[in-house]
Amino acid sequence: MGGIFGICSQDECAMDLFFGVDYHSHLGTRRGGMAVFDGKRYNRAIHNIENSPFRTKFEDDLPEMTGHLGIGCISDGDPQPVIINSRFGTLALVTVGRINNKAELVRELVSKENAYFTEMSTGQINDTELTAALICQKGELLDGIRYAQEKIDGSMSMIASADGGLYAVRDRFGRTPLSIGKKENGGGYCVSLESSAYVNLGYKAYYELGPGEIVFMTPDGVRSVWKPDGPMKMCTFLWLYYGFPTSDYEGTNVEEMRYHCGQNLADQDRENGAAVEVDCAAGIPDSGTPHAIGYANQAHIPFARPLIKYTPTWPRSFMPKDQSIRNLIARMKLIPVDSLIRGKKLLLVDDSIVRGTQLRGIMDEMLSFQPKELHGRVACPPILYDCKYLNFTRTARQNETISRQTIMKLEGTDSVTEAQVEKYSAFGTPHYRCLVEEIRKSLNFTTLEYLSLDGMLSAVGIDKCKLCTYCWNGKE
Ligand code: SF4
């Protein structure tokens, strides 16, 4: 997916921008970029961060970046920031989101407006450049931003540097968050996808944009120039897995939400007679860990770490394209603790299961240490639909998910109908139990349980109607 960060400051902004962008590194693995306006022009740097962390690539660019206004991003796709000379003057732009109707939009702009686009080395058009072209279709910048938001099918949050300040724009349905921080000494503001990105930089949470809202920021103040104007459907997966634990979205901290999922799973097990006697609960690092802590606390069982991640030489950004090598790396990063596994009854908690290939590798390894029992618990329902709103790296093609693969196996077909999905996904029904049992067998768990949709949503603690649940129930 990616992350965006912007800053307008009374002081030089490059250092805060550098760290603010770097704190989004967990959200993307391909490109990093920064642009700082020195009063006349933007100094920009974009680097490939596939095999080394953001910080190592941008350190040398910092001395060149003088000024009080800056934007930056971590991106899984297109190189950003994009800088264009436009009817609005020089405009610098970073975006995060997904454009489903890209071909149609490009065709329309090229044929009707004689527009042209740079082709990237992947043969694709840069999403941010396309967004900038849409913005330039209108005579006023604000109208242009609104127009781009309306035309894009998918989602698009952005930060545009223009008019001596920053326009921060949250996508129409608020799928991704945008939070403004205020410098404690009154020296300016920043805007960030992850609210955790500015805590160590001396900013305090100041304002969270609503869905579709646009604010204009200068070092002297923040003004809402377009009020939130639509229903919210924020991505639940950001709390569950993608988001950084120290961030808050819509008033709910990510780490705490994960504890609540674990607690709800433990309660659900107790209520359904699925609670098991184990020596300890453990999470699959990293994101399964807080879910397991919540479970252990609620079920009054010890928490332990029979699997520990080796982090010193495995940067998050090392993500080879080949899925089998990625699976191998995922397994190599985790080292089992023999004495915590052998002969023990363990309850292993993960945030979610997508394809199940990495989990299967982890299970094989753990089983080779001969635990007495290995129970599996998952902090969300079975995943059944592709995300069509955000570009997450972890999503599989719909029919590759372990849930759909298992439904196909159970039905003896090579595709799945909507009626079948509905039949197998209704929590607690005989067909649902059958689906979970088949997945349990294929992964070699002693028992397996998934948290219900209600259990997961109540863990977030905000109005359920404001949350996107598409990847679990296909409901828009
Ligand atoms: S479909 Fe899933 S991953 Fe995509 S925005 Fe909705 S909750 Fe998030």
Side-chain angles (χ1 to χ4, degrees):
M1 187 180 82
I4 52 178
F5 188 87
I7 190 157
C8 43
S9 172
Q10 307 278 7
D11 307 317
E12 288 292 328
C13 74
M15 275 316 262
D16 283 359
L17 180 65
F18 173 70
F19 285 112
V21 176
D22 184 54
Y23 278 130
H24 288 83
S25 297
H26 56 290
L27 291 172
T29 56
R30 300 255 184 270
R31 300 275 181 282
M34 287 169 52
V36 175
F37 187 59
D38 69 6
K40 289 193 184 115
R41 58 182 284 273
Y42 287 91
N43 280 301
R44 176 180 58 178
I46 297 174
H47 294 292
N48 181 326
I49 54 165
E50 278 170 296
N51 285 315
S52 52
F54 176 89
R55 281 190 310 280
T56 59
K57 291 290 182 95
F58 285 82
E59 219 174 324
D60 294 343
D61 299 307
L62 285 177
E64 306 288 315
M65 294 192 164
T66 55
H68 303 262
L69 205 60
I71 58 174
C73 71
I74 297 287
S75 162
D76 252 343
D78 44 340
Q80 312 178 36
V82 159
I83 298 172
I84 56 162
N85 289 303
S86 71
R87 63 203 302 172
F88 313 117
T90 310
L91 177 74
L93 187 69
V94 285
T95 64
V96 65
R98 175 180 172 129
I99 307 179
N100 293 322
N101 56 341
K102 192 161 158 177
E104 182 191 317
L105 292 174
V106 169
R107 215 170 24 246
E108 200 177 307
L109 287 169
V110 168
S111 62
K112 292 193 192 146
E113 309 295 335
N114 289 327
Y116 52 87
F117 296 95
T118 320
E119 195 172 285
M120 296 190 295
S121 54
T122 54
Q124 293 287 315
I125 305 291
N126 184 322
D127 280 6
T128 308
E129 190 182 345
L130 174 56
T131 306
L134 287 168
I135 291 172
C136 292
Q137 295 304 299
K138 296 287 172 188
E140 299 290 332
L141 183 54
L142 189 57
D143 292 343
I145 293 171
R146 295 272 312 137
Y147 178 70
Q149 293 284 63
E150 276 159 24
K151 291 291 280 184
I152 289 169
D153 170 32
S155 75
M156 192 53 70
S157 290
M158 56 185 118
I159 308 171
S161 173
D163 300 337
L166 299 181
Y167 289 88
V169 185
R170 189 171 177 190
D171 67 275
R172 281 170 67 202
F173 293 94
R175 307 248 181 224
T176 49
L178 264 189
S179 165
I180 293 177
K182 184 177 184 189
K183 193 99 181 174
E184 280 166 344
N185 62 11
Y189 297 87
C190 69
V191 59
S192 180
L193 190 149
E194 291 285 26
S195 65
S196 55
Y198 52 71
V199 174
N200 281 354
L201 306 177
Y203 294 78
K204 282 258 185 276
Y206 177 72
Y207 182 68
E208 200 167 354
L209 274 72
E213 185 168 8
I214 305 173
V215 300
F216 183 65
M217 308 161 55
T218 67
D220 302 319
V222 174
R223 184 162 52 89
S224 183
V225 291
W226 189 267
K227 299 287 178 204
D229 62 354
M232 184 157 79
K233 287 286 167 195
M234 181 156 169
C235 173
T236 311
F237 239 113
L238 278 164
W239 279 285
L240 190 77
Y241 168 72
Y242 285 101
F244 201 73
T246 47
S247 277
D248 296 340
Y249 316 131
E250 302 299 323
T252 298
N253 173 259
V254 172
E255 178 81 356
E256 277 192 278
M257 181 275 184
R258 294 173 186 172
Y259 293 162
H260 292 151
C261 281
Q263 287 165 11
N264 292 352
L265 251 174
D267 287 343
Q268 181 184 291
D269 274 358
R270 199 188 58 245
E271 284 156 19
N272 295 347
V276 284
E277 276 191 20
V278 289
D279 296 306
C280 67
I284 297 194
D286 289 320
S287 56
T289 301
H291 297 289
I293 291 173
Y295 193 105
N297 287 340
Q298 190 72 359
H300 303 292
I301 52 180
F303 169 78
R305 294 196 303 152
L307 278 174
I308 296 181
K309 197 168 189 175
Y310 187 79
T311 47
T313 54
W314 291 109
R316 159 80 173 87
S317 53
F318 182 56
M319 288 286 256
K321 290 190 183 77
D322 189 307
Q323 184 61 42
S324 61
I325 301 177
R326 283 163 74 145
N327 291 345
L328 175 70
I329 286 166
R331 199 165 64 78
M332 285 299 156
K333 279 182 188 173
L334 296 179
I335 306 179
V337 184
D338 188 331
S339 58
L340 291 177
I341 303 173
R342 195 171 297 278
K344 298 277 197 281
K345 292 184 193 173
L346 303 175
L347 184 131
L348 207 56
V349 189
D350 208 354
D351 55 88
S352 55
I353 309 179
V354 186
R355 287 186 195 84
T357 39
Q358 289 187 4
L359 183 57
R360 196 169 280 121
I362 291 167
M363 284 298 290
D364 288 349
E365 174 128 35
M366 287 199 73
L367 288 168
S368 73
F369 288 87
Q370 299 178 338
K372 201 166 183 184
E373 291 171 11
L374 202 45
H375 302 269
R377 294 295 181 269
V378 189
C380 71
I383 293 169
L384 286 155
Y385 294 86
D386 274 345
C387 174
K388 54 182 184 179
Y389 308 113
L390 299 167
N391 275 327
F392 285 125
T393 43
R394 203 191 188 200
T395 48
R397 268 192 287 274
Q398 198 155 282
N399 282 339
E400 291 172 2
T401 58
I402 194 167
S403 320
R404 281 192 180 242
Q405 286 283 325
T406 307
I407 293 174
M408 284 182 222
K409 189 174 158 200
L410 289 166
E411 291 284 319
T413 54
D414 55 9
S415 63
V416 177
T417 65
E418 281 308 294
Q420 287 167 338
V421 168
E422 218 163 284
K423 187 169 75 176
Y424 283 96
S425 60
F427 182 78
T429 58
H431 278 95
Y432 172 86
R433 290 305 325 162
C434 205
L435 172 67
V436 175
E437 172 59 11
E438 204 57 34
I439 296 173
R440 178 199 73 74
K441 279 197 271 178
S442 83
L443 293 171
N444 280 320
F445 281 116
T446 313
T447 66
L448 177 66
E449 299 292 337
Y450 285 83
L451 182 58
S452 69
L453 191 67
D454 266 357
M456 177 186 72
L457 297 181
S458 72
V460 181
I462 66 170
D463 181 355
K464 291 174 190 176
C465 299
K466 293 183 171 174
L467 297 170
C468 176
T469 56
Y470 184 81
C471 47
W472 296 282
N473 61 8
K475 293 206 171 123
E476 298 185 28

